[in-house]
Amino acid sequence: MTTPFPFTAVVGQDDLRLALLLNAVSPAVGGVLVRGEKGTAKSTAVRALSALLPEVDVVPGCRFSCDPAEPDPACPDGPHEAGPAGARPSRMVELPVGASEDRLVGALDIERALAEGVKAFEPGLLADAHRGILYVDEVNLLHDHLVDLLLDAAAMGASYVEREGVSVRHASKFLLVGTMNPEEGELRPQLLDRFGLTVEVAASREPDQRVEVVRRRLAHDDDPSGFAARWADEEATVRQRIVAARELLASVRLGDGALRQIAATCAAFEVDGMRADIVMARTATALAAWAGRTEVLAEDVRQAALLALPHRRRRNPFDAPGLDEDKLDQTLEEYSGDDDPDPGPDGPGGGGGGAPEPDSGPQGEDAGARPEEGEGGQPQPSGAGSGEQSAVRAAEPFRTKVLSVPGIGEGAAGRRSRARTEHGRTTGARRPRGALTKLHLAATVQAAAPHQRARGRSGPGLVVRRDDLRQAAREGREGNLVLFVVDASGSMAARQRMSAVKGAVLSLLLDAYQRRDKVGLVTFRGAAAEVALPPTSSVDAAAARLESLPTGGRTPLAAGLLKAHDVLRVERLRDPARRALVVVVTDGRATGGPEPVALAGRAARLFAAEGVASVVVDCESGPVRLGLAGQLAGELGGTAVTLDELRADSIAGLVKDVQRRAA
């Protein structure tokens, strides 16, 4: 077994370590979501935490780790008789991104349940994680229905498995830790709110600290056991401190003054619901216990706000998480109470058990911040010449109707187009391919019934064999790849028009976020086209690239279409089940390269030949219109809509037109 990297040897990342330790002291805080770029010790710190947690007493032989002092009366392995307790280390269970629902919650033996009437249950990861840590790396890439099951179990402290009238319930209380890279897509706000705390991590820009990170990593890789031994005393100190803080937790007083500050802070930052108030109260209490105090101070409330509120302030995926600390301090000062004693020498978060001091270097820029207007070049008069215009801010986004891909797909679960999925309404039955996950009871009984006499049935039970089992065929919704191909040439450079174009694309990006799509952005201007953003689940990254997009130069329409075709070809190899919707935003002019109009037509016909769903947003303006975008839509095999018509009602008609053409 590989020796884990010691928790106290992690360099910097003080907020991350503090958030993990607070959850170790009080699991009621609700877990922690760690957001940050790759290579910032997210996984290392989480895996190291499990070695600091005290051992747990368990009922010997219980697959669900029941506490001998308070065994679960509904435990599937119960009832448990009084006897000697066993002890084992706290577990850290990892949930893979590609895990199935059965692997997470457990699986019933449907064949035995039908034939023998017994609850033959194979525990899943939620049972393994009971009284330990459940770690989900890249939680933002986990399927929505798995995240829902996971967070429901974390909130209720129990897991429920129900299949065709057979139910199993078992205790499942764990410390939930998720990590994610925001560049790969965001979690829905509803799911963000279910994590108690959130921490933003970034690599230090301080050379001395980076040197120390490398030095310790190399030392651990060369001699894991020896490196761990050098940090054994610090690890033991933190382990003892966790135990002491747990024992002190029940004695911590959360006074009325601190409660008023918590309520006023949540109200001032306009967070939704009451979960934030509750999490802040629990976090502030845990901070006091961690510091060895029995009174919650204003400093505890402030630190709790910094950990519990940033991810709850997002209103859409284009908002960066964060908190205005000046506003926070002003609110705490305004509602400061008189019942707070003077803080002791060991303040909140103080003492890291031998861990390094907080990083005093730069913490990196806010990856979600939008660039200021004026990036991308100096403003010049717009036109079709070689001049270049600075980036124009997008107009306010508006609500759109669904743009869906015709037909029925089999892509990743989402909310856009029709698809055959594991979840949704039942449309029929089929023989299972691999493990049975969704039983179609009527079809199974119908398949087994004719063979009962031949199988020697003598009692009331139904004799069921593997060949009789039928899987429910279900229809739901899938997420698609929405690839935007945006004309950024001089003919599009009029500031008001480009603002409207960006506003329309931003609206469709917001819709793509809500429907769990991947998005990509190809732009063309001057002499060539470029992939401004490869296909990704991070729509906020697409919005940032769109916002900073400059315009100017000639119109290489064919180059843009060919580049988009190449992006689709590569993405088809990576994710063959995900269908694409191409949205071309242009006035239809083609002025770049030899025979630009003919070449653009040939490029467009490649999409039509492959049956790629497409929409052309016609941005042509002026009293005389050439209708070039409409011609392009005909070559693509799609449909065209003017920029003025790109509103909810018009898009609804557009979807019907796309579906009629595909029929």
Side-chain angles (χ1 to χ4, degrees):
M1 180 177 178
T2 304
T3 303
F5 194 91
F7 185 85
T8 52
V10 174
V11 179
Q13 309 299 9
D14 297 277
D15 286 344
L16 169 59
R17 290 182 297 158
L18 178 60
L20 292 173
L21 289 169
L22 293 176
N23 275 275
V25 171
S26 175
V29 166
V32 58
L33 175 65
V34 187
R35 297 164 44 92
E37 58 197 24
K38 53 186 177 293
T40 49
K42 300 189 298 293
S43 300
T44 298
V46 175
R47 293 189 176 98
L49 178 67
S50 61
L52 297 178
L53 298 181
E55 288 190 338
V56 294
D57 293 331
V58 296
V59 174
C62 177
R63 297 174 297 167
F64 301 88
S65 301
C66 277
D67 186 347
E70 297 180 83
D72 181 9
C75 176
D77 284 355
H80 298 300
E81 298 180 357
R88 63 162 176 79
S90 293
R91 291 174 181 161
M92 192 199 74
V93 177
E94 292 195 44
L95 174 61
V97 169
S100 65
E101 181 179 335
D102 285 348
R103 184 71 186 99
L104 176 63
V105 302
L108 293 171
D109 188 332
I110 300 296
E111 189 171 354
R112 288 189 62 193
L114 288 174
E116 304 173 30
V118 298
K119 296 180 180 180
F121 179 69
E122 184 66 27
L125 296 177
L126 289 179
D128 293 342
H130 181 44
R131 305 176 69 196
I133 301 173
L134 183 59
Y135 172 47
V136 189
D137 193 13
E138 306 293 355
V139 64
N140 52 323
L141 303 183
L142 200 64
H143 284 178
D144 284 353
H145 72 281
L146 293 182
V147 176
D148 291 337
L149 290 170
L150 179 66
L151 295 180
D152 284 344
M156 295 185 296
S159 175
Y160 294 84
V161 183
E162 299 189 13
R163 298 285 171 84
E164 305 299 338
V166 181
S167 299
V168 172
R169 174 213 169 273
H170 65 82
S172 184
K173 298 179 181 179
F174 48 84
L175 168 55
L176 176 62
V177 182
T179 60
M180 60 174 284
N181 184 345
E183 294 178 357
E184 296 174 343
E186 287 285 358
L187 279 173
R188 304 196 312 269
Q190 300 93 319
L191 302 184
L192 280 172
D193 185 55
R194 299 294 289 273
F195 284 93
L197 310 179
T198 187
V199 177
E200 294 279 341
V201 296
S204 172
R205 301 299 186 261
E206 175 60 42
D208 290 342
Q209 193 169 69
R210 295 174 75 97
V211 167
E212 187 61 23
V213 170
V214 176
R215 180 180 291 119
R216 294 186 187 183
R217 183 76 255 180
L218 294 178
H220 175 267
D221 292 346
D222 289 342
D223 183 9
S225 299
F227 184 82
R230 292 197 294 274
W231 289 88
D233 291 343
E234 286 82 355
E235 293 282 285
T237 300
V238 175
R239 191 178 298 110
Q240 293 168 4
R241 190 173 175 186
I242 291 174
V243 173
R246 285 183 172 184
E247 295 174 351
L248 184 62
L249 188 64
S251 302
V252 175
R253 175 179 175 269
L254 181 65
D256 289 342
L259 275 173
R260 282 195 298 273
Q261 288 183 317
I262 290 171
T265 300
C266 292
F269 286 100
E270 300 179 347
V271 295
D272 295 331
M274 295 297 298
R275 185 175 282 119
D277 304 62
I278 296 171
V279 170
M280 275 190 64
R282 289 172 174 167
T283 303
T285 303
L287 279 161
W290 177 247
R293 290 185 271 99
T294 57
E295 192 82 17
V296 173
L297 308 182
E299 288 84 351
D300 300 322
V301 175
R302 185 181 193 279
Q303 182 66 64
L306 293 175
L307 294 173
L309 295 187
H311 61 301
R312 293 185 165 90
R313 297 192 61 246
R314 302 189 69 190
R315 292 295 183 265
N316 66 63
F318 311 136
D319 292 338
L323 211 63
D324 185 339
E325 295 194 31
D326 290 338
K327 181 178 179 180
L328 173 61
D329 292 336
Q330 181 180 352
T331 303
L332 294 176
E333 177 66 25
E334 181 179 352
Y335 288 87
S336 60
D338 298 328
D339 57 347
D340 288 343
D342 292 334
D346 193 8
E357 291 299 316
D359 178 14
S360 60
Q363 295 300 310
E365 296 179 359
D366 183 355
R370 295 184 184 180
E372 293 298 324
E373 186 172 348
E375 290 181 358
Q378 296 299 318
Q380 293 184 14
S382 62
S386 59
E388 181 175 301
Q389 187 179 27
S390 63
V392 178
R393 282 201 177 277
E396 283 298 315
F398 50 85
R399 186 171 181 82
T400 71
K401 293 289 182 66
V402 183
L403 284 169
S404 60
V405 177
I408 301 179
E410 296 183 343
R415 294 182 174 84
R416 184 171 295 279
S417 305
R418 294 173 58 197
R420 287 179 283 271
T421 64
E422 290 295 323
H423 300 269
R425 63 186 181 89
T426 301
T427 58
R430 58 175 174 80
R431 291 181 181 273
R433 296 191 291 266
L436 178 70
T437 55
K438 297 291 183 181
L439 177 74
H440 194 295
L441 182 59
T444 298
V445 172
Q446 187 176 5
H451 308 292
Q452 296 304 295
R453 180 174 296 179
R455 294 173 182 173
R457 173 183 169 184
S458 58
L462 188 68
V463 180
V464 179
R465 294 180 179 173
R466 175 70 186 176
D467 290 343
D468 302 327
L469 298 179
R470 294 295 181 270
Q471 175 89 18
R474 298 173 181 263
E475 182 178 307
R477 293 278 170 177
E478 67 177 1
N480 299 117
L481 167 60
V482 182
L483 182 60
F484 294 93
V485 186
V486 180
D487 183 350
S489 65
S491 62
M492 297 280 290
R495 179 169 293 270
Q496 183 177 359
R497 183 172 7 140
M498 199 62 196
S499 176
V501 167
K502 288 186 176 183
V505 178
L506 199 63
S507 302
L508 293 172
L509 282 172
L510 182 58
D511 183 68
Y513 166 80
Q514 294 167 341
R515 303 193 184 282
R516 312 302 288 170
D517 294 317
K518 293 179 73 173
V519 296
L521 178 62
V522 172
T523 64
F524 56 95
R525 57 188 287 269
E530 66 171 345
V531 181
L533 185 72
T536 175
S537 297
S538 179
V539 296
D540 52 341
R545 299 293 174 87
L546 177 73
E547 192 74 23
S548 60
L549 178 67
T551 58
R554 302 184 70 83
T555 312
L557 176 59
L561 295 175
L562 291 173
K563 181 67 71 174
H565 185 267
D566 188 55
V567 169
L568 293 183
R569 178 185 60 79
V570 173
E571 190 64 17
R572 204 173 290 125
L573 296 174
R574 294 175 177 169
D575 192 357
R578 189 180 292 269
R579 298 184 295 163
L581 173 66
V582 177
V583 180
V584 184
V585 184
T586 181
D587 57 9
R589 289 182 172 84
T591 60
E595 299 183 349
V597 176
L599 186 58
R602 289 196 295 271
R605 286 190 288 274
L606 292 174
F607 292 85
E610 296 174 1
V612 178
S614 61
V615 174
V616 178
V617 179
D618 184 0
C619 302
E620 188 176 26
S621 62
V624 179
R625 303 199 177 192
L626 304 178
L628 299 176
Q631 296 176 23
L632 175 62
E635 298 279 5
L636 287 166
T639 189
V641 58
T642 66
L643 191 60
D644 293 337
E645 295 169 343
L646 197 59
R647 291 278 171 173
D649 293 340
S650 299
I651 294 178
L654 169 64
V655 175
K656 295 176 182 178
D657 192 17
V658 170
Q659 293 173 337
R660 280 198 303 269
R661 286 173 177 265

